[in-house]
Amino acid sequence: MHGPFGLAAGFDKNAAGIDGMAMLGFDHVEIGTVTAQPQPGNPKRRLFRLVADRALINRMGFNNEGSAAVAARLAARRPAFRTTVGVNIGKTKVVPETEAVADYVTSTERLAAHADYLVVNVSSPNTPGLRNLQAVDHLRPLLTAVREAADRTVTGRRVPLLVKIAPDLADEDVDAVADLAVELGLDGIIATNTTIARDGLGLTSPSRLTAETGGLSGAPLKARSLEVLRRLYARVGDRLTLVGVGGIETADDVWERILAGATLVQGYSAFIYRGPFWCREIHRGLAARLAASPYATLAEAVGAEAAA
Ligand SMILES: Cc1cc2nc3c(=O)[nH]c(=O)nc-3n(C[C@H](O)[C@H](O)[C@H](O)COP(=O)(O)O)c2cc1C
């Protein structure tokens, strides 16, 4: 399927179901987050449905088989479909923050060759200290090292590198990450991960659920994710590929992100609520949106709102 809409990270953590997801119509599948060492994640229960809010709270904590096992699975894969595979990497929980760079570099060396694009995830709220890596002083050496490791490992092509950011960053920090990404020659930014805020919730989800620790995703995240995307596009324009994620439910939501500057759009939570044909509905709705618009191609529509 060709379209701008893909499956966000966290659904297929170990690259076990890429073809299945492609069959459901996802243009791309971002696997992971994968860490250098295998780890079990947080104790269960760790995922909660806030049905009335069309939202989830999760504190999975990067449960995954580790980058060696995931690399082996990707290497053995005989794709039935031509799907773009993004590989999202993060820090092993037991590795101290001071050794984070080496942990990401290990995963990069193992996985970059299997990635159509690589994502440095510094925005999950469920690994203690991870989001500190979004500070430019930490992010600069991290992204530089991952870029070098990818270039060292993969010859004959340059693996695109993106960074995934939290919606909880202050606006100035969003700008700072954007400037750094341009300066370092990154390819793009994924905005956003889940939020630790509890804004945008209705009054119907029980407080025992809304009080659960973890990242909130789904409908309540929509406004802030869109706001971050608009801010990024205003800052960097076409110099980076922006990927919009957070609270996408309908083709109209996707269209809104495209007009705001996203080249690609992803979702996760609404897949849980809307079921297996969700992605096809989105792509079909989007085609109708485009046909009814003044734009000949989706590429023309990217950022059109800012240009108007
Ligand atoms: C259960 C669950 C697990 C997730 N795991 C990851 C992850 O491992 N890495 C990551 O970058 N994002 C992860 N995410 C965040 C999603 O990729 C996405 O950024 C976020 O959920 C917002 O999109 P949505 O509102 O469409 O769900 C996870 C989200 C959920 C709900």
Side-chain angles (χ1 to χ4, degrees):
M1 167 66 81
H2 284 294
F5 193 62
L7 184 60
F11 191 89
D12 189 2
K13 295 211 183 237
N14 296 305
I18 296 170
D19 278 331
M21 294 303 115
M23 233 180 296
L24 295 180
F26 289 102
D27 160 79
H28 62 278
V29 177
E30 189 170 309
I31 64 123
T33 293
V34 183
T35 56
Q37 299 174 34
Q39 57 181 29
N42 287 320
K44 294 177 180 175
R45 296 177 65 204
R46 54 191 183 182
L47 176 57
F48 307 87
R49 291 181 188 225
L50 281 55
V51 178
D53 286 300
R54 307 190 308 281
L56 302 173
I57 290 176
N58 92 82
R59 52 168 180 270
M60 304 299 288
F62 293 166
N63 52 303
N64 79 105
E65 295 172 8
S67 51
V70 173
R73 182 168 298 124
L74 287 169
R77 185 171 166 255
R78 295 288 166 267
F81 298 90
R82 269 209 300 173
T83 318
T84 298
V85 178
V87 174
N88 177 308
I89 59 174
K91 185 185 80 67
T92 306
K93 185 178 182 185
V94 296
V95 166
E97 274 173 73
T98 47
E99 290 160 33
V101 172
D103 200 68
Y104 281 87
V105 164
T106 298
S107 293
T108 304
E109 287 167 349
R110 292 173 177 159
L111 290 165
H114 309 293
D116 291 316
Y117 69 87
L118 202 58
V119 183
V120 169
N121 180 10
V122 282
S123 48
S124 165
N126 302 315
T127 294
L130 188 84
R131 290 172 309 149
N132 297 337
L133 299 173
Q134 291 176 115
V136 168
D137 289 353
H138 294 288
L139 198 52
R140 184 191 304 276
L142 172 60
L143 294 174
T144 304
V146 169
R147 177 74 267 165
E148 283 171 8
D151 291 341
R152 206 168 48 240
T153 326
V154 186
T155 47
R157 80 185 164 108
R158 185 178 166 285
V159 182
L161 179 64
L162 296 87
V163 62
K164 183 166 177 180
I165 64 172
D168 306 318
L169 284 177
D171 288 341
E172 314 75 78
D173 296 329
V174 172
D175 293 346
V177 173
D179 293 348
L180 179 70
V182 171
E183 181 200 318
L184 297 180
L186 246 63
D187 297 276
I189 300 180
I190 304 187
T192 66
N193 214 313
T194 59
T195 177
I196 56 168
R198 293 292 180 264
D199 306 333
L201 291 168
L203 297 172
T204 32
S205 288
S207 55
R208 68 177 161 77
L209 286 180
T210 58
E212 288 288 352
T213 300
L216 174 71
S217 59
L221 186 54
K222 194 178 300 193
R224 177 60 184 161
S225 287
L226 177 60
E227 189 177 48
V228 172
L229 174 67
R230 285 195 171 126
R231 195 170 182 95
L232 287 170
Y233 193 74
R235 191 88 180 174
V236 303
D238 299 335
R239 288 180 292 173
L240 297 175
T241 295
L242 301 179
V243 183
V245 51
I248 298 293
E249 298 178 283
T250 64
D252 282 351
D253 294 333
V254 176
W255 184 244
E256 192 175 33
R257 299 296 158 110
I258 289 169
L259 294 181
T263 299
L264 296 174
V265 181
Q266 304 178 329
Y268 184 151
S269 299
F271 189 32
I272 306 306
Y273 289 114
R274 291 180 177 242
F277 302 114
W278 175 56
C279 181
R280 288 198 186 284
E281 275 165 35
I282 287 211
H283 274 137
R284 204 174 301 130
L286 206 54
R289 272 302 211 156
L290 179 63
S293 81
Y295 314 110
T297 63
L298 273 180
E300 261 178 46
V302 172
E305 162 198 274

